[in-house]
Amino acid sequence: MSNEKIALFTIFGGTGDLAQRKLYPSLFKLYQKGYLKDHFAVIGTARRPWTDDHYHEVISDSLADLNADQETVTQFASHFYYQSHDVTDAEHYRTLKKLSEKLDAQYGLQGNRIFYLAMAPNFFGTIAQHLRSENILTDNGFNRVIIEKPFGHDYESAKELNDQLTATFNENQIYRIDHYLGKEMIQNITAIRFGNNIWESLWNNRYIDNVQITLSEKLGVEERAVYYDNSGALRDMVQNHILQILSLLTMDQPVEFTENDIDVEKVKALRSLRPLKPEEVATNFVRGQYGAGDDAKAYRDEDKISSDSNTDTFVAGKVMIDNYRWSGVPFYIRTGKRLADKFTRIDVVFKRPVVNIFNYEDVRANDDAATSLDPNILTINVEPTEGFELRMNAKAIGQGFATTPVKLNYSHDAEATAGSPEAYERLLHDALNGDATNFTHWQEVADSWKFVDVIQKYWDEHQPEFPNYRPGTMGPDAADELLRQDGHRWVYRN
């Protein structure tokens, strides 16, 4: 049976950075693997007055790093068509409809259409409205729309955006892309938990002491300065990526491994987040902004950033979950710019044994050198290394019976990693299959915003003391104190 997928892609924002860095290379990899063959076409739209020939050159340039043979690139690019387009002009949609119908007949696309809105969210509603009013959606195939974050700026704006989209598309036609959900090791969370009885049996508050989620970035805001200064780390990273990871770590086992059943459990987990009262924000969440370093500007000195900006470039927080499985277990999260290194990791810290029998002789002799056993820690390395690490205690070599921590490691080898789909490739393939398991559903977005809005509102009403951390560190000292006040510390420390 052929694995070929049949569809017309219409990319609004086809000249943009996202399309050239992520979408075109991902579509090309699907083409190389045979998922896209003869029966697909792509329409790129934007304001620029490009020709199809120039568009093909841009496509070719975007694939330069893939070292593909030119004949294959040329064949792939021949499926791409460009239309100069004003998303507010109804006449342009009529032209788009004619081109879509022509390509549908030319490539045998069976009325299957995917609309990718690689533009600012304020245009989403306008585009969706015109797709409906100008009858660009088809009756004989599928119609799916993929949108990029941010899914709103807060709950109210997210709801307004969702209402605009659902006036044209049903919820099961809307694919809210979160590229973290396309990462190999994020998708491995469900395999680790529900594919191994040893872990799922221990995955609760009887055995787990705390869980730490770290998304660390080494660079500053770079070319995203304008967007970032209106967003900050809380909105840019916590509301979506981190809370999505948290929901996968904490959800109960779904009835089946299906989109609907997984969504049900993720929503239940997010609804179990303990909402913060405004006065609790200061003791449960820390914000930061980087100052100047040896080779780095302070955030307020970056291009296009206001000299008195109070935008957060770092967030750390303690999240509690009020349900039977997780009651009493703190989930510590942190993310930021200009930190020590670029990596994403999850550290699951298990409780120590109630009695350390190996200290018996030392205790009996009143030896002050007696030490406690280290906790077992399961680390899920998401990037750049992909794999697992388990810390456990073993006997130290030599006389006596001292214990020492040892590590059991597994990392995906370079060859396997090189052949693994990149996140956008994986998610585009899912969208072609009509599988939204690894996309974000509306209720997840809504519950995430409701949790984050309380924090953001408190911060907006209180003046921070910025800058408060140096580049190359793991954030402000208050992030360490956040754990220290609970008797814990970050597993990763620089």
Side-chain angles (χ1 to χ4, degrees), residues 374-375 391-394 403-407:
D374 283 2
R391 302 188 198 185
M392 55 188 294
N393 296 301
T403 59
T404 186
V406 297
K407 296 180 181 179

Side-chain angles (χ1 to χ4, degrees), residues 191-201:
I192 295 167
R193 291 191 53 193
F194 306 125
N196 299 282
N197 192 47
I198 187 175
W199 293 123
E200 187 56 14
S201 299

Side-chain angles (χ1 to χ4, degrees), residues 62-191:
S62 73
L63 307 177
D65 292 340
L66 301 182
N67 298 317
D69 68 273
Q70 190 56 47
E71 181 179 354
T72 304
V73 170
T74 300
Q75 290 174 348
F76 172 72
S78 70
H79 289 256
F80 284 69
Y81 299 81
Y82 185 80
Q83 179 189 318
S84 182
H85 183 83
D86 179 350
V87 296
T88 65
D89 188 339
E91 183 61 35
H92 285 203
Y93 288 89
R94 298 183 193 111
T95 304
L96 178 62
K97 180 181 180 181
K98 291 177 183 177
L99 178 57
S100 299
E101 290 174 345
K102 173 189 172 185
L103 296 178
D104 198 308
Q106 180 178 338
Y107 290 98
L109 304 180
Q110 303 176 9
N112 294 335
R113 296 190 178 173
I114 293 179
F115 305 94
Y116 202 118
L117 310 190
M119 301 185 69
N122 56 295
F123 292 115
F124 291 177
T126 300
I127 295 171
Q129 176 189 345
H130 281 94
L131 291 175
R132 181 182 73 252
S133 64
E134 303 310 319
N135 298 313
I136 296 177
L137 306 183
T138 64
D139 296 325
N140 60 319
F142 61 70
N143 296 279
R144 297 166 188 156
V145 60
I146 303 176
I147 62 173
E148 288 276 343
K149 75 177 183 76
F151 311 131
H153 196 67
D154 53 19
Y155 171 74
E156 290 301 326
S157 60
K159 185 178 184 304
E160 181 181 1
L161 172 61
N162 192 65
D163 289 345
Q164 292 172 345
L165 288 170
T166 53
T168 297
F169 297 95
N170 297 325
E171 172 63 21
N172 62 8
Q173 296 175 307
I174 302 172
Y175 290 69
R176 300 171 189 85
I177 200 165
D178 182 336
H179 71 276
Y180 267 76
L181 297 182
K183 293 181 181 293
E184 187 72 50
M185 294 307 297
I186 296 300
Q187 295 191 355
N188 245 305
I189 292 173
T190 51

Side-chain angles (χ1 to χ4, degrees), residues 392-441:
M392 55 188 294
N393 296 301
K395 178 186 176 299
I397 297 173
Q399 293 288 349
F401 213 92
T403 59
T404 186
V406 297
K407 296 180 181 179
L408 307 180
N409 290 292
Y410 168 78
S411 296
H412 292 329
D413 61 59
E415 184 178 349
T417 302
S420 175
E422 192 266 351
Y424 272 90
E425 177 191 345
R426 192 189 307 271
L427 294 173
L428 285 172
H429 184 255
D430 286 349
L432 282 163
N433 283 329
D435 181 2
T437 302
N438 296 308
F439 291 80
T440 307
H441 297 76

Side-chain angles (χ1 to χ4, degrees), residues 8-12 41-45 96 100 114-117:
L8 169 64
F9 292 86
T10 302
I11 301 176
F12 293 88
V42 180
I43 301 173
T45 75
L96 178 62
S100 299
I114 293 179
F115 305 94
Y116 202 118
L117 310 190

